[in-house]
Coordinates of all heavy atoms in Angstrom, one line a residue:
R1650 N 29.1 -53.3 -13.9 CA 29.5 -54.6 -14.4 C 28.7 -55.8 -13.8 O 28.8 -56.9 -14.2 CB 31.0 -54.9 -13.9 CG 31.9 -54.0 -14.7 CD 33.3 -54.0 -14.1 NE 33.8 -55.3 -13.8 CZ 34.8 -55.5 -12.8 NH1 35.3 -54.5 -12.1 NH2 35.2 -56.7 -12.5
Y1651 N 27.8 -55.5 -12.8 CA 27.1 -56.6 -12.2 C 25.6 -56.5 -12.3 O 25.0 -55.8 -11.6 CB 27.5 -56.6 -10.7 CG 29.0 -56.8 -10.4 CD1 29.7 -55.6 -10.2 CD2 29.6 -58.0 -10.4 CE1 31.1 -55.8 -9.9 CE2 30.9 -58.1 -10.2 CZ 31.7 -57.0 -9.9 OH 33.0 -57.1 -9.7
P1652 N 25.0 -57.2 -13.3 CA 23.6 -57.1 -13.5 C 22.8 -57.8 -12.5 O 23.3 -58.6 -11.6 CB 23.4 -57.8 -14.9 CG 24.5 -58.7 -15.0 CD 25.7 -58.1 -14.2
V1653 N 21.5 -57.7 -12.5 CA 20.5 -58.3 -11.6 C 20.7 -59.8 -11.6 O 20.7 -60.5 -10.5 CB 19.1 -57.9 -12.0 CG1 18.1 -58.9 -11.5 CG2 18.7 -56.5 -11.5
A1654 N 21.0 -60.4 -12.7 CA 21.1 -61.9 -12.8 C 22.3 -62.3 -12.0 O 22.3 -63.4 -11.4 CB 21.4 -62.3 -14.3
Y1655 N 23.4 -61.5 -11.9 CA 24.5 -61.9 -11.1 C 24.2 -62.0 -9.6 O 24.5 -62.9 -8.9 CB 25.6 -60.8 -11.3 CG 26.9 -61.0 -10.4 CD1 27.9 -61.9 -10.8 CD2 27.0 -60.2 -9.3 CE1 29.0 -62.0 -10.0 CE2 28.1 -60.4 -8.5 CZ 29.1 -61.2 -8.9 OH 30.3 -61.4 -8.1
S1656 N 23.4 -60.9 -9.1 CA 23.0 -61.0 -7.7 C 22.1 -62.1 -7.4 O 22.1 -62.8 -6.4 CB 22.2 -59.7 -7.4 OG 23.1 -58.6 -7.2
A1657 N 21.2 -62.4 -8.4 CA 20.2 -63.5 -8.2 C 21.0 -64.8 -7.9 O 20.7 -65.5 -7.0 CB 19.3 -63.6 -9.4
R1658 N 22.0 -65.0 -8.8 CA 22.7 -66.3 -8.6 C 23.5 -66.3 -7.3 O 23.6 -67.3 -6.6 CB 23.7 -66.5 -9.8 CG 22.9 -67.0 -11.1 CD 23.8 -67.4 -12.2 NE 24.5 -66.3 -12.8 CZ 24.0 -65.7 -13.9 NH1 22.9 -66.1 -14.5 NH2 24.7 -64.7 -14.4
Q1659 N 24.1 -65.2 -7.0 CA 25.0 -65.1 -5.8 C 24.1 -65.3 -4.5 O 24.5 -66.0 -3.6 CB 25.7 -63.8 -5.7 CG 26.9 -63.7 -6.6 CD 28.1 -63.1 -5.9 OE1 27.9 -62.1 -5.2 NE2 29.2 -63.7 -6.0
I1660 N 23.0 -64.7 -4.5 CA 22.1 -64.8 -3.3 C 21.6 -66.2 -3.2 O 21.6 -66.8 -2.1 CB 20.9 -63.7 -3.4 CG1 21.5 -62.3 -3.2 CG2 19.8 -64.1 -2.4 CD1 20.5 -61.2 -3.5
S1661 N 21.2 -66.8 -4.3 CA 20.7 -68.1 -4.3 C 21.8 -69.1 -3.8 O 21.5 -70.0 -2.9 CB 20.3 -68.5 -5.7 OG 20.0 -69.8 -5.8
E1662 N 23.0 -68.9 -4.2 CA 24.1 -69.8 -3.8 C 24.4 -69.6 -2.3 O 24.6 -70.5 -1.6 CB 25.4 -69.4 -4.6 CG 26.4 -70.5 -4.6 CD 27.6 -70.2 -5.4 OE1 27.5 -69.5 -6.5 OE2 28.8 -70.5 -5.0
A1663 N 24.4 -68.3 -1.9 CA 24.7 -68.0 -0.4 C 23.7 -68.7 0.4 O 24.0 -69.2 1.5 CB 24.8 -66.5 -0.2
L1664 N 22.4 -68.6 0.0 CA 21.4 -69.3 0.8 C 21.5 -70.8 0.8 O 21.4 -71.4 1.9 CB 20.0 -68.9 0.2 CG 19.6 -67.4 0.5 CD1 18.4 -67.0 -0.4 CD2 19.2 -67.2 2.0
S1665 N 21.8 -71.3 -0.4 CA 21.9 -72.8 -0.4 C 23.1 -73.3 0.4 O 23.1 -74.4 0.9 CB 21.9 -73.3 -1.8 OG 23.2 -73.0 -2.4
L1666 N 24.1 -72.5 0.6 CA 25.3 -72.8 1.4 C 25.1 -72.5 2.9 O 26.0 -72.8 3.7 CB 26.6 -72.1 0.9 CG 27.1 -72.5 -0.5 CD1 28.2 -71.5 -0.9 CD2 27.7 -73.9 -0.4

Side-chain angles (χ1 to χ4, degrees):
R1650 288 168 47 205
Y1651 302 96
V1653 158
Y1655 176 82
S1656 284
R1658 284 192 285 268
Q1659 282 227 313
I1660 288 169
S1661 172
E1662 197 179 325
L1664 286 165
S1665 71
L1666 291 170

